[in-house]
Amino acid sequence: MTTIHVFDPALCCSTGICGVQVDQALVTFAADVDWAKKNGAQIERMNLAQQPLAFAENATVRSFLERSGPEALPLILVEGEVALAGRYPTRTELARWAGIAKSFSPKIDVVCCTDAGCC
Protein backbone atom coordinates (compact mmCIF):
# COMPACT_ATOMS: atom_id res chain seq x y z
CA MET A 1 0.00 0.00 0.00
CA THR A 2 1.24 3.48 -0.87
CA THR A 3 2.21 5.75 2.01
CA ILE A 4 1.30 9.43 1.87
CA HIS A 5 3.06 11.86 4.21
CA VAL A 6 1.60 15.31 4.75
CA PHE A 7 3.92 17.96 6.17
CA ASP A 8 1.62 20.66 7.52
CA PRO A 9 2.63 24.20 8.40
CA ALA A 10 2.63 25.13 12.08
CA LEU A 11 -0.93 24.48 13.25
CA CYS A 12 -2.48 24.88 16.70
CA CYS A 13 -3.33 21.15 16.80
CA SER A 14 -2.71 18.03 14.74
CA THR A 15 -5.42 18.85 12.18
CA GLY A 16 -5.63 22.64 12.44
CA ILE A 17 -9.35 22.36 13.13
CA CYS A 18 -9.43 24.32 16.35
CA GLY A 19 -9.98 27.84 17.54
CA VAL A 20 -12.71 30.26 16.52
CA GLN A 21 -11.65 30.90 12.92
CA VAL A 22 -11.22 27.54 11.27
CA ASP A 23 -9.84 27.40 7.72
CA GLN A 24 -12.39 25.60 5.51
CA ALA A 25 -9.57 24.02 3.48
CA LEU A 26 -8.36 22.27 6.64
CA VAL A 27 -11.87 21.05 7.45
CA THR A 28 -12.29 19.66 3.95
CA PHE A 29 -8.84 18.06 3.96
CA ALA A 30 -9.40 16.46 7.38
CA ALA A 31 -12.64 14.93 6.09
CA ASP A 32 -10.88 13.71 2.93
CA VAL A 33 -8.06 12.14 4.96
CA ASP A 34 -10.61 10.41 7.20
CA TRP A 35 -12.45 9.11 4.11
CA ALA A 36 -9.20 7.90 2.51
CA LYS A 37 -8.08 6.12 5.69
CA LYS A 38 -11.47 4.39 5.97
CA ASN A 39 -10.88 3.17 2.41
CA GLY A 40 -7.47 1.72 3.22
CA ALA A 41 -5.09 4.63 2.60
CA GLN A 42 -1.97 5.00 4.73
CA ILE A 43 -1.67 8.71 5.49
CA GLU A 44 0.52 10.33 8.12
CA ARG A 45 0.40 14.03 8.99
CA MET A 46 3.24 15.94 10.59
CA ASN A 47 2.75 19.41 12.07
CA LEU A 48 5.73 21.79 11.99
CA ALA A 49 4.80 23.22 15.41
CA GLN A 50 4.39 19.85 17.10
CA GLN A 51 6.83 17.58 15.22
CA PRO A 52 9.72 19.74 13.98
CA LEU A 53 12.14 16.80 14.17
CA ALA A 54 10.15 14.95 11.47
CA PHE A 55 10.80 17.93 9.16
CA ALA A 56 14.49 18.17 10.05
CA GLU A 57 15.18 14.43 9.71
CA ASN A 58 13.64 14.07 6.24
CA ALA A 59 16.18 15.22 3.62
CA THR A 60 13.50 15.98 1.00
CA VAL A 61 11.45 18.08 3.41
CA ARG A 62 14.52 19.81 4.83
CA SER A 63 15.71 20.77 1.33
CA PHE A 64 12.23 21.98 0.42
CA LEU A 65 12.08 24.21 3.51
CA GLU A 66 15.58 25.59 2.87
CA ARG A 67 14.56 26.50 -0.70
CA SER A 68 10.99 27.63 -0.23
CA GLY A 69 10.48 28.35 3.47
CA PRO A 70 7.67 27.24 5.76
CA GLU A 71 5.16 29.52 4.03
CA ALA A 72 5.27 27.09 1.06
CA LEU A 73 3.78 24.28 3.18
CA PRO A 74 1.90 21.97 3.09
CA LEU A 75 4.18 19.50 1.36
CA ILE A 76 2.81 16.12 0.31
CA LEU A 77 5.12 13.16 -0.27
CA VAL A 78 3.92 9.96 -1.90
CA GLU A 79 6.34 7.10 -1.33
CA GLY A 80 8.96 9.69 -0.37
CA GLU A 81 8.64 11.74 -3.56
CA VAL A 82 7.19 15.26 -3.73
CA ALA A 83 3.67 15.02 -5.13
CA LEU A 84 2.28 18.44 -4.20
CA ALA A 85 3.25 21.63 -2.40
CA GLY A 86 1.51 24.82 -1.38
CA ARG A 87 -2.02 23.44 -1.08
CA TYR A 88 -3.85 20.43 0.27
CA PRO A 89 -4.75 17.65 -2.16
CA THR A 90 -8.28 16.93 -3.23
CA ARG A 91 -10.08 13.71 -2.39
CA THR A 92 -9.55 12.62 -6.01
CA GLU A 93 -5.79 13.15 -5.71
CA LEU A 94 -5.64 11.23 -2.43
CA ALA A 95 -7.64 8.39 -3.99
CA ARG A 96 -5.33 8.24 -7.02
CA TRP A 97 -2.15 8.26 -4.94
CA ALA A 98 -3.49 5.67 -2.50
CA GLY A 99 -4.87 3.41 -5.24
CA ILE A 100 -8.43 3.71 -4.01
CA ALA A 101 -10.82 2.76 -6.79
CA LYS A 102 -13.46 5.38 -7.37
CA SER A 103 -16.86 4.15 -6.39
CA PHE A 104 -19.62 5.53 -8.48
CA SER A 105 -23.29 5.33 -7.67
CA PRO A 106 -25.03 3.05 -10.11
CA LYS A 107 -27.17 4.84 -12.63
CA ILE A 108 -30.82 4.06 -12.14
CA ASP A 109 -33.01 4.38 -15.18
CA VAL A 110 -36.51 5.35 -14.28
CA VAL A 111 -39.14 4.92 -16.92
CA CYS A 112 -41.91 7.34 -16.24
CA CYS A 113 -44.05 6.88 -19.34
CA THR A 114 -46.41 3.97 -20.00
CA ASP A 115 -49.27 3.31 -22.36
CA ALA A 116 -51.49 5.23 -19.94
CA GLY A 117 -49.38 8.39 -20.23
CA CYS A 118 -46.39 10.00 -18.53
CA CYS A 119 -45.95 10.85 -14.86
Side-chain angles (χ1 to χ4, degrees):
M1 173 71 55
T2 301
T3 302
I4 300 168
H5 288 96
V6 179
F7 290 87
D8 287 300
L11 301 171
C12 58
C13 63
S14 63
T15 62
I17 303 176
C18 47
V20 292
Q21 293 184 341
V22 177
D23 182 351
Q24 184 58 45
L26 289 170
V27 173
T28 301
F29 182 62
D32 291 345
V33 166
D34 186 53
W35 170 85
K37 285 182 174 182
K38 286 179 181 174
N39 283 281
Q42 292 180 346
I43 302 174
E44 294 180 41
R45 291 181 75 178
M46 274 66 68
N47 180 333
L48 183 58
Q50 297 175 354
Q51 298 154 300
L53 209 53
F55 288 71
E57 291 176 342
N58 185 304
T60 302
V61 177
R62 189 175 57 247
S63 294
F64 174 82
L65 288 174
E66 288 169 357
R67 250 187 339 270
S68 304
E71 58 278 351
L73 295 171
L75 177 66
I76 316 317
L77 303 183
V78 177
E79 292 300 317
E81 299 291 325
V82 174
L84 185 66
R87 69 169 175 84
Y88 288 100
T90 63
R91 184 173 289 200
T92 301
E93 289 168 324
L94 287 174
R96 183 176 65 241
W97 297 334
I100 299 170
K102 291 184 182 179
S103 59
F104 295 99
S105 300
K107 185 177 178 185
I108 300 171
D109 292 323
V110 177
V111 177
C112 196
C113 293
T114 63
D115 290 339
C118 291
C119 333

